[in-house]
Amino acid sequence: MTDYILYNPLSNNRRGKQRAETLRDLLSDGCLAFRDLTKITDLRGFLAGLDASARVILCGGDGTLNRFINALDGKMPRKNLYYFAAGSGNDFLNDLPEAHAGEPILLDPYLEDLPWVEVRGQRYCFLNGVGFGIDGYCCQEGDRLRRKSSRRTNYTTIALKGLAYAYKPVNARIRVDGQTREYRKVWLAPSMLGRFYGGGMMIAPGQDRCGKEGDLTLVVVHDCSKLRILTAFPTIMNGTHLRYEGIVDVLTGQDITVTFDRPCALQIDGETFSDVTEYHAMSGKTARGLGKAGKEQKDGMKV
């Protein structure tokens, strides 16, 4: 049996191939075929052409996972998909109970009913979360620094700089399952499928990516001074920021729209989008239900 290792050479500060090569020791019993993901032009066709018994192991970070699922429109053409983390943050890996086994993890159960987010008229699936506010700023600044240097990016330093002076909070209108709220001086407004983002920050400690209802968690940090947000920020690392009830709201739902009063950077699983004023996120199960309803209505019109 052949194991196909699809690696992203750009992950982990361009050490993705080196990380993928460590699988030679872990999977020494089988035949390994290494493929550079950046050179596969037709991913769906490539996967469909493999033998059904072959394992496919995706090797990269959160951004690699995001680009992989979106290249397939969130619809996996085969089973036996595995993941071997080779990123700098690995938030998806940190969210899994089998995260520290050190071996490839079966992806199949985590790719069912993925949520999607609409930004500027385009829809994208996501595995971890959608960040809007200073988290988007951090990803944008991290991208800028990586273009200048191959040194490892320190997102904590970037965040502290943003909180201190570089990022200006915004006013926001937030709608969750039809209920609208207005917020002032918003620093963060991410919608999360997982618990972690930003390289290990537990922004949504109560979120369950495999929950039966398929809810997303929206965390809003708002109405606080720079001094208070700087004091509260370190607690996001271990999820204890929820104790700041006056400035942290946690909302859960399946249909979320966040609108800012000025353009900001937004990130989807670490992939940056500049100058965004609004995003619309929907749980995978709700989206699937809408799709079925639309199909039934269309089929009914044909009769």
Side-chain angles (χ1 to χ4, degrees), residues 134 137 158-170 184-188 221-234 236 244 247 262:
I134 195 168
Y137 158 80
I158 294 172
L160 290 173
K161 182 182 76 171
L163 292 169
Y165 61 88
Y167 177 79
K168 308 299 180 184
V170 301
R184 295 177 60 255
K185 296 182 69 175
V186 173
W187 294 87
L188 297 170
V221 180
H222 60 96
D223 287 298
C224 59
S225 65
K226 289 185 177 180
L227 179 59
R228 196 172 186 199
I229 189 67
L230 280 167
T231 301
F233 179 76
I236 295 177
Y244 291 92
I247 66 172
R262 66 172 173 81

Side-chain angles (χ1 to χ4, degrees), residues 132-145:
F132 204 12
I134 195 168
D135 38 7
Y137 158 80
C138 289
C139 287
Q140 185 178 54
E141 182 67 6
D143 290 346
R144 185 185 69 81
L145 293 175

Side-chain angles (χ1 to χ4, degrees), residues 59-130:
C59 189
D62 294 309
T64 303
L65 281 167
N66 180 273
R67 288 188 290 273
F68 182 84
I69 61 176
N70 279 287
L72 300 169
D73 297 322
K75 301 173 182 177
M76 301 304 116
R78 60 174 291 120
K79 298 294 184 181
N80 293 325
L81 279 168
Y82 287 78
Y83 176 60
F84 187 63
S88 54
N90 299 321
D91 289 311
F92 173 71
L93 181 74
N94 290 334
D95 203 36
L96 306 186
E98 64 269 47
H100 303 293
E103 297 180 355
I105 293 169
L106 183 66
L107 270 177
D108 297 357
Y110 301 108
L111 301 181
E112 298 177 0
D113 293 327
L114 289 174
W116 56 257
V117 59
E118 184 173 359
V119 179
R120 293 197 290 254
Q122 295 292 321
R123 289 186 179 183
Y124 307 89
C125 294
F126 62 95
L127 269 171
N128 297 323
V130 180

